[in-house]
Amino acid sequence: MTLKNKFLTTFCAVLLLLVMFASCKRENKVEGQGTATEEKMTLSGSDTTKVMNLMHQYFDLLLKKDYDGAMSMIYQLRNDSLLNADPEVEKHYQMGMKLVTPIRYEIETMIFETERDCLVKYAAVLFEKEGEDDNRPNKMIYTVKPVRVNGEWYLTVSDKDDMNTRDSQIVQ
């Protein structure tokens, strides 16, 4: 083998390795995410409908002041396992539920990133505004994190960093 052929073979091998490395890295990344461990989520209209239905069931229980029933819908996700909310979290949530008496609940934002990284921001509407020039705040904002486990959706507690850190990619 001549020096020219050795150089050409080495150059092609290095180029092939670089192309393979770049394509593998690009395939494993989720757009907007920096990790290679997450996979893209296949989302259908039925997923959105299921999460909306869960949220409306939750709202109905809250409006009926069935706080135990509402809490039974909230889970914690730990190491890929769904657990009932621990007593401290349950106490915190129930205290918040009992402090306000809204006239209705509204979904403000729904964000679906991955099966384990979704966010629903919702509002407890405390009273109707008297007109367009009524500048009084009339809503309290809350969040929950829907997760899909084995094809089923569940509501989990949200992280305190979730409340205002992401923008919706879903047009309402």
Side-chain angles (χ1 to χ4, degrees):
M1 204 177 219
T2 66
L3 184 62
K4 184 177 180 182
N5 285 345
K6 284 183 182 178
F7 175 75
L8 189 57
T9 303
T10 304
F11 177 75
C12 287
V14 169
L15 184 61
L16 180 62
L17 286 173
L18 287 174
V19 168
M20 287 173 50
F21 176 73
S23 68
C24 286
K25 188 174 179 183
R26 194 174 22 239
E27 285 175 10
N28 288 335
K29 266 190 166 181
V30 174
E31 193 170 318
Q33 304 288 324
T35 65
T37 58
E38 295 182 18
E39 296 178 16
K40 284 190 177 181
M41 179 174 70
T42 304
L43 182 69
S44 68
S46 68
D47 289 305
T48 306
T49 301
K50 287 175 185 176
V51 172
M52 292 281 284
N53 288 340
L54 271 177
M55 291 304 300
H56 288 293
Q57 289 172 12
Y58 181 65
F59 295 160
D60 288 343
L61 291 169
L62 290 174
L63 288 171
K64 292 176 186 173
K65 299 182 193 277
D66 182 358
Y67 305 120
D68 291 330
M71 267 323 295
S72 72
M73 295 183 68
I74 303 293
Y75 296 89
Q76 287 182 280
L77 185 65
R78 287 198 190 128
N79 301 329
D80 294 333
S81 296
L82 280 175
L83 306 171
N84 290 327
D86 65 44
E88 184 178 313
V89 170
E90 189 171 326
K91 182 179 174 183
H92 174 75
Y93 264 65
Q94 282 202 8
M95 184 176 62
M97 293 172 182
K98 293 174 183 177
L99 281 176
V100 296
T101 346
I103 57 173
R104 72 177 176 280
Y105 289 90
E106 299 173 345
I107 294 176
E108 298 277 314
T109 306
M110 292 178 69
I111 302 168
F112 292 90
E113 294 286 339
T114 67
E115 287 185 329
R116 306 292 167 90
D117 188 18
C118 300
L119 182 73
V120 174
K121 192 185 291 189
Y122 66 96
V125 180
L126 304 173
F127 60 89
E128 297 293 346
K129 292 199 173 204
E130 294 178 4
E132 288 183 27
D133 58 339
D134 187 350
N135 294 327
R136 297 176 297 160
N138 69 334
K139 296 179 181 180
M140 292 185 70
I141 303 296
Y142 301 94
T143 60
V144 292
K145 291 182 83 161
V147 297
R148 187 167 62 180
V149 177
N150 298 324
E152 294 295 322
W153 284 98
Y154 300 90
L155 302 178
T156 66
V157 294
S158 61
D159 304 323
K160 55 186 161 189
D161 296 334
D162 286 328
M163 182 94 153
N164 296 305
T165 56
R166 300 191 289 186
D167 294 324
S168 175
Q169 297 176 355
I170 297 174
V171 178
Q172 294 183 353

